[in-house]
């Protein structure tokens, strides 16, 4: 996974990330009441290729980019990336018909709130796994939602990757078969994450 | 007499879910707060029997709110409802005086069971 880690360190990192993602998939399953599988997990070292696209959703679709900043003993940021089609399906599954059809300010807010709440629970599932396994005090800040085109989504993520001096990022596709949605769940972590893995491996 | 509840969560969706669940169970929802400052003001003013409290709010963390209302002598029971599930944070919340801790996602039945147990 990472050439900066030894094999055993890499195995620990893989295990923590995979377990965190399993917990996130389970949380998503509970919310949307539909079986969720982790379709792919891509681990990448940052700055390998500056032009690389972080989100690989349909380039013609509007992206719902929900950002959670990780605070505490190591820094990072995660994004839940949904297509417009994903969002419509989640709304249909989780909200009542009167909210779905309404354009009242409160109902519009509710449509956004369900998305940030899903992100909140998914990111917290991963953060909890990191915190418990690495014995660090970290938490996710209040999520922020942005609705952007693919190009802009990638620009935002690339900029953040530089800001956090990101060493590692991983991207998982969480596939809910029945609902037929496949959000990207992308994480950018600074080198303190890797340092904590090394510390854990030494112990 | 029905118990008075104050709901504190920055998410409109979550406040509505908690409100609808507890109203159906016969609790009286006396207030809602999207942030810590409003939560403290409403708690002092309304003196609810129960506060459901999200742990991460835009302006404060839940444990600080628990500490403030306990220091003010309020008898309000606090159930923390949070996506933050690490054991150290849960323990800290209980040490500050929370009556119980629910990790999101939860079902309406989970919430009712915890709240009913307190009264």
């Amino acid at each position: 996974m990472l050439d900066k880690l030894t094999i055993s360190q890499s195995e620990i990192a893989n295990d923590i990330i995979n377990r965190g993602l399993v917990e996130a998939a389970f949380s998503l399953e509970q919310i949307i009441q539909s079986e969720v599988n982790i379709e792919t997990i891509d681990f990448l070292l940052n700055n390998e290729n500056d032009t690389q696209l972080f989100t690989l959703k349909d380039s013609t679709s509007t992206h719902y980019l929900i950002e959670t900043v990780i605070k505490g003993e190591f820094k990072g940021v995660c994004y839940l990336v949904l297509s417009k089609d994903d969002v419509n399906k989640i709304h249909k599954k989780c909200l009542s018909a009167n909210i779905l059809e309404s354009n009242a300010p409160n109902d519009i807010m509710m449509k956004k709130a369900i998305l940030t709440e899903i992100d909140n629970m998914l990111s917290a599932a991963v953060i909890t796994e990191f915190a418990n396994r690495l014995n660090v005090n970290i938490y996710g800040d209040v999520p922020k939602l942005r609705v952007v085109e693919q190009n802009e989504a990638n620009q935002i993520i690339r900029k953040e990757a530089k800001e956090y001096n990101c060493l590692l990022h991983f991207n998982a596709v969480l596939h809910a078969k029945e609902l037929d949605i496949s959000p990207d769940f992308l994480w950018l972590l600074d080198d303190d994450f890797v340092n904590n893995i090394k510390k854990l491996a030494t112990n | 007499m029905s118990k008075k509840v104050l709901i504190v969560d920055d998410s409109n969706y979550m406040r509505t879910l908690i409100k609808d669940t507890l109203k159906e169970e016969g609790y009286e929802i006396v207030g809602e707060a999207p942030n810590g400052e409003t939560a403290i003001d409403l708690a002092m003013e309304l003196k609810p029997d129960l506060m459901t409290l999200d742990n991460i709010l835009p302006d404060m963390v839940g444990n600080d709110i628990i500490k403030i209302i306990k220091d003010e002598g309020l008898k309000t029971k606090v159930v923390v409802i949070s996506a933050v599930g690490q054991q150290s944070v849960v323990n800290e919340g209980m040490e500050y005086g929370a009556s119980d801790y629910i990790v999101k996602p939860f079902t309406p039945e989970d919430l009712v069971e915890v709240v009913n147990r307190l009264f």
Side-chain angles (χ1 to χ4, degrees), chain A residues 16-32:
Chain A
I16 292 174
I17 290 167
N18 285 330
R19 280 171 193 260
L21 290 171
V22 166
E23 292 298 326
F26 178 68
S27 290
L28 184 59
E29 243 175 45
Q30 303 257 302
I31 303 161
I32 62 172

Side-chain angles (χ1 to χ4, degrees), chain A residues 139-153:
Chain A
Y139 65 95
D141 205 356
V142 175
K144 285 179 199 148
L145 168 67
R146 279 183 273 201
V147 183
V148 292
E149 298 304 315
Q150 188 199 44
N151 191 33
E152 195 183 344

Side-chain angles (χ1 to χ4, degrees), chain A residues 73-127:
Chain A
E73 288 179 50
F74 65 75
K75 304 283 183 282
V77 60
C78 78
Y79 295 94
L80 186 67
V81 189
L82 299 154
S83 68
K84 195 172 174 51
D85 191 42
D86 291 339
V87 169
N88 288 339
K89 287 172 182 169
I90 289 171
H91 282 163
K92 210 170 165 190
K93 180 83 181 184
C94 300
L95 298 175
S96 61
N98 58 329
I99 293 175
L100 274 179
E101 288 154 18
S102 166
N103 281 321
N106 200 45
D107 294 329
I108 290 171
M109 212 194 292
M110 190 74 109
K111 288 174 194 165
K112 289 179 181 171
I114 177 72
L115 303 177
T116 50
E117 198 53 44
I118 287 174
D119 172 79
N120 184 28
M121 293 184 216
L122 265 57
S123 59
V126 177
I127 288 168

Side-chain angles (χ1 to χ4, degrees), chain A residues 145-163:
Chain A
L145 168 67
R146 279 183 273 201
V147 183
V148 292
E149 298 304 315
Q150 188 199 44
N151 191 33
E152 195 183 344
N154 282 302
Q155 279 173 10
I156 290 167
I157 295 167
R158 260 200 300 272
K159 189 169 165 249
E160 290 291 300
K162 280 182 184 162
E163 195 165 304

Side-chain angles (χ1 to χ4, degrees), chain A residues 26-28 30-31 94-95 106 109-110 113-114 116-117 120-121 124-125 127-128 131-132 136-143, chain B residues 9-17 54 56-59 61 82-89 92 103-107 110:
Chain A
F26 178 68
S27 290
L28 184 59
Q30 303 257 302
I31 303 161
C94 300
L95 298 175
N106 200 45
M109 212 194 292
M110 190 74 109
I114 177 72
T116 50
E117 198 53 44
N120 184 28
M121 293 184 216
I127 288 168
T128 297
N132 287 342
V136 290
N137 189 10
I138 52 169
Y139 65 95
D141 205 356
V142 175
Chain B
D9 201 304
D10 60 294
S11 164
N12 187 20
Y13 171 77
M14 200 44 73
R15 290 199 308 273
T16 304
L17 180 71
D54 186 12
I56 306 292
L57 294 163
D59 57 345
V61 292
S82 177
V84 179
Q86 55 248 44
Q87 203 53 50
S88 59
V89 177
E92 197 181 60
V103 178
K104 297 175 187 173
F106 61 91
T107 64
D110 294 334

